[in-house]
């Protein structure tokens, strides 16, 4: 167990070159979700800074070895995965770009696979989940983390293990990037890394965990961030 995040650049610097790397990440910085949003922020997009930060993350991924990208179907997650891919290409695989970041090919030239699982993997009861969003998203998630059980969600610990299994089944590349939402990264950080969350102490954008899978031996799990800190503090 660990209680803090490792900078992604430091993680890659020490990673075994023969291991497969699986990243489960929250999307980049988004615009604000208003309390009255009837779609609970489903159509809220990234900020320009978020796009730049995602490109910077992509540049951290080593240039050797193949990479694949999966995302929640929600737009900000898809765009984050595309920006990460573009950043890696800018660093070592050609001259690609995204609008507002650099000149060149369009961001949608990048192949990102949408996965429904990354949109709602932990949700067991949609109406109950929507009610949780209305009553208090952070409070509801934290109650679930504390007990492991919640009417809106699948049992936390069992489902977190299934998330890891799903990722390993979907991809076998050198680098495997999965972009989703904080609601589904937080339970994995709680289960695999022992991190503690509160409504006023949450996880940052472009933060998550890395599974390092060696050719032989045990899987290593590391909480990682591409930001200055993996934490967001709310007043």
């Amino acid at each position: 167990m660990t209680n803090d995040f490792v900078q992604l650049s430091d993680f890659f610097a020490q990673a075994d070159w023969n291991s497969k790397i699986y990243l489960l990440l929250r999307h980049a910085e988004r615009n604000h979700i208003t309390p009255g949003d009837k779609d609970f922020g489903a159509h809220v997009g990234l900020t320009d800074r978020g796009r730049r930060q995602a490109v910077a993350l992509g540049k951290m991924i080593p240039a050797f070895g193949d990479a694949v990208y999966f995302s929640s179907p929600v737009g900000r997650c898809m765009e984050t995965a595309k920006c990460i891919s573009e950043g890696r290409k800018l660093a070592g695989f050609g001259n690609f770009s995204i609008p507002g970041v650099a000149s060149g090919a369009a961001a949608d030239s990048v192949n990102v696979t949408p996965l429904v699982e990354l949109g709602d993997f932990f949700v067991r009861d949609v109406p109950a989940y929507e009610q949780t969003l209305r009553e208090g998203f952070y409070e509801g998630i934290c109650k679930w983390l504390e007990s492991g059980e919640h009417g809106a969600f699948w049992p936390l610990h069992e489902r977190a293990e299934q998330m890891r299994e799903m990722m390993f089944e979907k991809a076998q590349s050198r680098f495997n990037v999965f972009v989703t939402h904080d609601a589904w990264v937080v339970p994995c950080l709680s289960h695999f890394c022992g991190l503690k969350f509160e409504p006023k102490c949450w996880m940052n954008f472009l933060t998550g965990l890395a599974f390092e899978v060696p050719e032989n031996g045990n899987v290593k799990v590391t909480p990682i961030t591409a930001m200055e800190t993996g934490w967001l503090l709310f007043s």
Side-chain angles (χ1 to χ4, degrees):
M1 297 294 184
T2 184
N3 60 5
D4 208 354
F5 295 93
V6 174
Q7 291 292 320
L8 192 57
S9 57
D10 293 337
F11 168 79
F12 282 127
Q14 60 78 42
D16 182 350
W17 283 30
N18 294 314
S19 294
K20 291 183 173 66
I21 305 298
Y22 293 79
L23 301 180
L24 180 65
L25 297 168
R26 185 185 185 186
H27 56 76
E29 182 184 82
R30 56 164 170 73
N31 290 297
H32 181 63
I33 297 176
T34 61
D37 189 331
K38 62 182 178 62
D39 296 315
F40 305 107
H43 303 292
V44 172
L46 300 182
T47 64
D48 288 340
R49 180 169 63 177
R51 296 184 186 96
R52 291 192 295 270
Q53 290 168 339
V55 170
L57 186 160
K59 292 180 179 180
M60 298 179 195
I61 302 175
F64 60 88
D66 57 340
V68 292
Y69 304 87
F70 299 88
S71 171
S72 160
V74 173
R76 60 181 173 271
C77 294
M78 291 289 292
E79 188 173 12
T80 297
K82 291 175 182 178
C83 288
I84 293 171
S85 176
E86 294 292 354
R88 187 169 188 248
K89 290 178 180 179
L90 284 168
F93 283 105
N95 182 22
F96 294 79
S97 68
I98 61 170
V101 176
S103 61
D108 59 10
S109 65
V110 179
N111 184 22
V112 175
T113 301
L115 290 180
V116 173
E117 295 95 324
L118 291 174
D120 60 1
F121 191 78
F122 285 88
V123 176
R124 176 167 59 182
D125 186 306
V126 173
Y129 174 57
E130 292 180 347
Q131 184 63 30
T132 300
L133 293 176
R134 285 189 288 267
E135 293 177 349
F137 168 76
Y138 299 107
E139 291 79 6
I141 295 291
C142 286
K143 288 180 181 178
W144 175 41
L145 297 180
E146 183 176 353
S147 68
E149 301 287 339
H150 191 291
F153 308 111
W154 295 107
L156 185 148
H157 300 292
E158 177 183 353
R159 198 62 169 167
E161 291 287 339
Q162 292 171 352
M163 171 70 89
R164 177 173 63 177
E165 293 170 6
M166 182 274 290
M167 293 168 63
F168 289 178
E169 290 174 359
K170 292 289 184 183
Q172 291 291 320
S173 295
R174 168 74 170 111
F175 301 104
N176 307 276
V177 179
F178 293 76
V179 180
T180 183
H181 308 270
D182 53 342
W184 318 139
V185 181
V186 161
C188 290
L189 285 166
S190 174
H191 172 74
F192 290 109
C193 304
L195 269 64
K196 304 297 183 182
F197 296 91
E198 300 175 1
K200 293 186 178 181
C201 183
W202 204 242
M203 65 168 295
N204 208 346
F205 301 105
L206 294 178
T207 295
L209 59 164
F211 297 101
E212 187 175 353
V213 184
E215 292 181 325
N216 297 296
N218 296 325
V219 175
K220 180 180 178 181
V221 187
T222 305
I224 50 90
T225 184
M227 309 292 279
E228 183 176 348
T229 173
W231 299 101
L232 279 179
L233 301 179
F234 302 110
S235 58

